[in-house]
Amino acid sequence: MRILVTGANGFLGRGLADVVCKRFGTAERIVLTDLTSPMIGVGPVEMIPGDLGDPVFLHELAEPGFDIVFHLASLPGSLAEREQALGHRVNLLGPLMLAEKLAARRSDTRLVFASSIAVYGDLGQKTVTPDTPCHPQLTYGAHKLMTEIMLADMARRNVLSTISLRFPGIVARPLADNGHGSAFMSQLLHKIRTNEPFECPVPADSVCWWMSRSAAVENLIHAATLPSSGATVQPPVLHATIAEVAEAAMRVTGNRPAIHYGDDGRLRRIFGSMPPLDANLAISMGFRADADLETLVHATFSGD
Amino acid sequence: MRILVTGANGFLGRGLADVVCKRFGTAERIVLTDLTSPMIGVGPVEMIPGDLGDPVFLHELAEPGFDIVFHLASLPGSLAEREQALGHRVNLLGPLMLAEKLAARRSDTRLVFASSIAVYGDLGQKTVTPDTPCHPQLTYGAHKLMTEIMLADMARRNVLSTISLRFPGIVARPLADNGHGSAFMSQLLHKIRTNEPFECPVPADSVCWWMSRSAAVENLIHAATLPSSGATVQPPVLHATIAEVAEAAMRVTGNRPAIHYGDDGRLRRIFGSMPPLDANLAISMGFRADADLETLVHATFSGD
């Protein structure tokens, strides 16, 4: 078994790499890659830093092929919106070139792609289903959607075994990790944990989709072993207001820092007006949300 | 006024170039491009042959910017399915690079993109609306869909004024133009015109979406002048069986050649099982289908 994790130095990547190393300890080869050398790694782990936008690096990295590839590397949404050329390179050309290099070696490689709910754009309040149309309102979401389409087509042609998972903002990212527009969701949890006041940019009744890093990691690993290829999956999430999550975090910690709620209309529109989700199809495929808000908070606070 | 037509040597491109030259005769500059030198051109027309997959050629072509660009150049669907690397270059990287070069010069350039109903994939029998989900079943359709998404995003960012039109198989392509899976729709009309027997690969009751080249050209020109930017439009079409179109062509010509209907399940599934279309939105924007089947046949037979 040979496994590759890209973006292994990112928030989700570190969590995934950790679990992959523990759970696939007998793998012949586990390769972690990121722009800079990944920090963790036990067992048969190789850390190969490099730029996935560089065809020469990609070519060498893909040699001699993998059984499972988790492609997490990406430029976060807000940053990609400001840095269009870099976003184009990292979020569009990167996955397209990686998929092509992998397919040139082995058509049975399972490529698990970390997509994003940014593919949807303005959702309105109708329940989201697999047929919900996508009209991305960030270039990040446009690139993720384009990659999903390309990967589904490669699966259709049987040149690569692909699956895309649409992740919401995963909590709780480190405070320094603020290139994501959804960073406030993580900041809220960190500030309650350290009992510090927090200026939340969106109103208390803003509704977000929530997933802990450990739930995201389990969904990625589940996707790696699913028999069906070519799917684009919206994993189940917790659907809760900012205030409900703050309350759960306060119950878990016993802290009650002051939280001041703002009214950033743009952030609320993109991340804080999420409709209900019908994830029955994904659930029937074995994907899972955090069990409840307290489980989410616990996962977040226990080294998640 | 400066106008560029790519794919100007193709079936649709020749028809468009002809009308553009006549209708925009006072334009400062009309540039026609294709891999080989375009054959037509009157007035202030420049013919600049070259490869849109070549960044250097693209860079020079885009200089010093255009008011209107019609991007028609593409590798047909069946051919692109066999020649994946070429399709990737022509049908995906080509439009992405062209759009980028144009945007680098002028953000108010109107780019009219000839997309395709191949974006939909298997449609079932539910009426097609602007919310119909897209699951392309040909790489050609995947590339067209990816391009639509990128162009809508560029319009959202106000870096280019874009509009995409989803065309059905346009009739009647020349008999030699057989890289399209929908070529049988055109062949049927040619054979009736010349009163020759025809082996139609799909059953008589196969339902297709029909549009003549002159209707397609009028829709392209209409798209060039619409104020709104960023739209992806499904223009109205005629919804009719192969047998109904054959009957109309026989009425118009007085010919009654023998037509033998086959049962190619794959062709029928992709091109001959089209559901009804609700094109009210496009009609309200001013897009038009051929008035009726006889109008379609007449357009086809009068040098269309």
Side-chain angles (χ1 to χ4, degrees), chain A residues 60-241:
Chain A
E60 288 169 9
L61 183 71
E63 209 62 63
F66 290 93
D67 297 275
I68 300 171
V69 176
F70 296 98
H71 182 54
L72 311 185
S74 87
L75 198 69
S78 294
L79 185 55
E81 196 67 14
R82 295 194 298 274
E83 302 286 346
Q84 284 285 332
L86 188 60
H88 184 85
R89 189 163 186 271
V90 173
N91 293 345
L92 182 61
L93 300 186
L96 296 191
M97 285 199 298
L98 174 65
E100 203 179 298
K101 296 288 183 196
L102 293 171
R105 275 154 194 84
R106 286 177 52 180
S107 62
D108 65 341
T109 297
R110 166 54 52 96
L111 175 59
V112 181
F113 173 58
S115 186
S116 162
I117 62 170
V119 297
Y120 295 119
D122 291 347
L123 278 168
Q125 285 306 306
K126 265 174 71 178
T127 298
V128 171
T129 73
D131 278 347
T132 294
C134 292
H135 302 290
Q137 296 299 312
L138 286 171
T139 306
Y140 174 80
H143 287 157
K144 292 285 190 188
L145 184 57
M146 293 167 78
T147 304
E148 287 180 359
I149 294 164
M150 191 73 257
L151 295 183
D153 190 67
M154 294 179 85
R156 179 189 63 78
R157 289 187 278 126
N158 293 313
V159 298
L160 199 63
S161 176
T162 67
I163 185 166
S164 300
L165 301 189
R166 293 175 173 172
F167 285 119
I170 304 294
V171 291
R173 292 182 179 280
L175 286 174
D177 235 9
N178 52 14
H180 290 268
S182 59
F184 67 88
M185 296 165 64
S186 294
Q187 290 160 359
L188 173 86
L189 288 159
H190 285 298
K191 293 297 186 179
I192 293 173
R193 184 184 198 177
T194 53
N195 206 15
E196 292 174 272
F198 179 53
E199 294 283 333
C200 182
V202 296
D205 63 353
S206 301
V207 180
C208 304
W209 285 4
W210 303 85
M211 188 185 284
S212 71
R213 179 165 68 173
S214 42
V217 164
E218 290 306 324
N219 284 324
L220 285 165
I221 289 177
H222 181 65
T225 55
L226 271 185
S228 66
S229 169
T232 297
V233 176
Q234 174 57 65
V237 297
L238 293 180
H239 181 254
T241 65

Side-chain angles (χ1 to χ4, degrees), chain B residues 123-141:
Chain B
L123 278 168
Q125 284 307 306
K126 267 175 70 178
T127 298
V128 171
T129 73
D131 279 346
T132 293
C134 291
H135 303 290
Q137 297 299 311
L138 285 172
T139 306
Y140 174 79

Side-chain angles (χ1 to χ4, degrees), chain B residues 22-293:
Chain B
K22 285 174 187 153
R23 216 165 300 171
F24 297 87
T26 61
E28 174 192 340
R29 194 173 180 216
I30 297 177
V31 177
L32 308 180
T33 187
D34 209 313
L35 279 174
T36 53
S37 200
M39 288 177 295
I40 80 129
V42 292
V45 171
E46 296 165 59
M47 289 170 265
I48 308 183
D51 177 0
L52 293 176
D54 171 3
V56 176
F57 172 71
L58 257 186
H59 188 83
E60 287 169 10
L61 182 71
E63 209 62 63
F66 290 92
D67 297 276
I68 299 171
V69 176
F70 297 97
H71 181 54
L72 311 185
S74 87
L75 197 68
S78 294
L79 185 56
E81 194 68 14
R82 294 193 299 273
E83 302 286 345
Q84 284 285 331
L86 187 60
H88 184 85
R89 188 162 185 271
V90 174
N91 292 345
L92 182 62
L93 300 186
L96 296 191
M97 285 200 298
L98 174 66
E100 203 178 298
K101 295 289 183 196
L102 293 170
R105 273 154 195 86
R106 287 177 50 180
S107 62
D108 64 342
T109 298
R110 165 55 52 97
L111 175 60
V112 181
F113 172 58
S115 186
S116 162
I117 62 169
V119 298
Y120 295 120
D122 291 345
L123 278 168
Q125 284 307 306
K126 267 175 70 178
T127 298
V128 171
T129 73
D131 279 346
T132 293
C134 291
H135 303 290
Q137 297 299 311
L138 285 172
T139 306
Y140 174 79
H143 287 157
K144 292 285 190 188
L145 183 57
M146 293 167 78
T147 303
E148 287 180 358
I149 294 164
M150 191 73 256
L151 295 182
D153 190 68
M154 294 179 86
R156 179 189 63 78
R157 290 187 278 125
N158 293 313
V159 298
L160 199 62
S161 176
T162 67
I163 185 165
S164 300
L165 301 189
R166 293 175 174 173
F167 285 119
I170 304 294
V171 291
R173 292 182 177 280
L175 286 173
D177 234 7
N178 53 13
H180 291 269
S182 59
F184 67 88
M185 296 165 64
S186 294
Q187 290 159 359
L188 172 85
L189 288 159
H190 285 297
K191 293 297 186 179
I192 294 172
R193 185 185 198 178
T194 53
N195 205 15
E196 292 174 89
F198 179 53
E199 293 284 331
C200 181
V202 296
D205 63 352
S206 301
V207 180
C208 304
W209 284 6
W210 302 84
M211 186 184 286
S212 71
R213 180 164 69 172
S214 43
V217 164
E218 289 307 323
N219 284 323
L220 284 165
I221 289 177
H222 181 65
T225 55
L226 271 185
S228 66
S229 169
T232 296
V233 176
Q234 175 57 65
V237 297
L238 293 181
H239 181 255
T241 65
I242 292 278
E244 285 166 343
V245 172
E247 276 306 314
M250 290 177 185
R251 277 197 304 277
V252 168
T253 59
N255 297 335
R256 298 204 71 86
I259 298 175
H260 176 256
Y261 293 99
D263 197 12
D264 184 324
R266 187 175 156 278
L267 276 187
R268 184 189 183 137
R269 185 170 54 79
I270 302 182
F271 303 104
S273 308
M274 296 301 290
L277 168 62
D278 172 357
N280 284 327
L281 180 62
I283 292 168
S284 75
M285 294 168 80
F287 294 97
R288 293 290 175 262
D290 297 273
D292 51 38
L293 288 184

Side-chain angles (χ1 to χ4, degrees), chain A residues 5-10 32-39 47-54 57 61 71-76 79 86 89-91:
Chain A
V5 179
T6 78
N9 211 18
L32 308 180
T33 188
D34 209 313
L35 279 173
T36 54
S37 201
M39 286 177 296
M47 288 169 265
I48 308 184
D51 176 0
L52 295 176
D54 171 4
F57 173 71
L61 183 71
H71 182 54
L72 311 185
S74 87
L75 198 69
L79 185 55
L86 188 60
R89 189 163 186 271
V90 173
N91 293 345

